[in-house]
Amino acid sequence: MKCPFCRDLENKVIDSRLAQEGDVIRRRRECLECHRRFTTYERAEETSLLVAKRDGGKEPFDRAKVAAGVGKAIKNRPVTEEQVQQLAAKVEEKLRRKGPVVTTQEVGLEVLTLLRKLDDVAYMRFASVYKDFQEVTDFERELGLLLQKRDGSGPAKARSGRRSG
Ligand SMILES: [Zn+2]
């Protein structure tokens, strides 16, 4: 388990508890090198989750890959590394409920759904990048629906949190 700040491998667990959904263990860790703290989410029981790709191949779901993709989208946005890790963990949790095999589109859509709640700009960035990778019309239709919902949800600037009155 690498430290997200300095990449050191040595750390100690400060606190462990089950996450709200039940079968994910949330661990608070402290890096022994830089002494910063971070949170990891680990499966209580490791069942394999596979992602079916367009070319017919399958690969194990990689949460780090999801986190890396989201990491690019949040550049210069007020989103923390911990929020990204949480998002990736939630995506994995949702996908595991769907099933031992999910599609890349399902992965992307789960990310988009959660990212949308986190940050509008990051959401749009991820959506545009992700769309480029997909030739699938299904995905575009789904994305269209997501974007429609987004447009119908009122002005985004009302959420700036600086309301007076
Ligand atoms: Zn560290």
Side-chain angles (χ1 to χ4, degrees):
M1 199 62 70
K2 267 191 221 164
C3 168
F5 306 103
C6 73
R7 305 280 160 208
D8 197 84
L9 283 167
E10 300 281 314
N11 58 67
K12 66 179 177 193
V13 175
I14 303 161
D15 182 37
S16 287
R17 65 182 65 173
L18 275 183
Q20 224 168 9
E21 282 80 14
D23 44 1
V24 172
I25 299 167
R26 177 183 181 278
R27 289 208 163 98
R28 197 76 187 135
R29 294 171 182 269
E30 186 181 301
C31 175
L32 296 181
E33 182 63 30
C34 70
H35 302 288
R36 280 194 266 196
R37 292 181 176 189
F38 58 99
T39 306
T40 57
Y41 295 83
E42 293 154 49
R43 298 289 303 173
E45 98 280 359
E46 279 304 329
T47 51
S48 64
L49 176 63
L50 295 173
V51 179
K53 298 190 294 184
R54 279 300 285 164
D55 62 13
K58 283 178 193 153
E59 60 180 21
F61 174 81
D62 184 353
R63 198 202 295 167
K65 224 185 213 179
V66 170
V70 174
K72 280 179 203 154
I74 62 155
K75 214 166 187 186
N76 301 321
R77 299 298 304 163
V79 179
T80 65
E81 173 65 25
E82 182 154 344
Q83 283 175 307
V84 173
Q85 295 299 330
Q86 280 174 9
L87 185 147
K90 275 188 201 163
V91 166
E92 179 172 2
E93 187 61 24
K94 285 188 162 191
L95 292 172
R96 279 187 187 275
R97 278 187 216 145
K98 281 188 182 176
V101 182
V102 294
T103 63
T104 49
Q105 292 98 306
E106 284 175 312
V107 177
L109 283 171
E110 289 298 350
V111 172
L112 283 171
T113 306
L114 292 169
L115 197 54
R116 188 167 152 245
K117 294 176 191 160
L118 212 57
D119 187 89
D120 277 350
V121 173
Y123 164 78
M124 291 308 288
R125 281 183 194 157
F126 190 89
S128 64
V129 170
Y130 196 82
K131 226 175 116 187
D132 288 343
F133 289 127
Q134 306 295 320
E135 302 133 281
V136 199
T137 49
D138 264 7
F139 175 75
E140 303 212 335
R141 199 195 61 220
E142 292 285 332
L143 181 61
L145 288 175
L146 267 179
L147 292 172
Q148 264 174 28
K149 272 191 224 158
R150 183 176 178 277
D151 289 343
S153 66
K157 61 183 170 187
R159 279 202 279 137
S160 71
R162 275 213 176 196
R163 255 190 266 163
S164 56

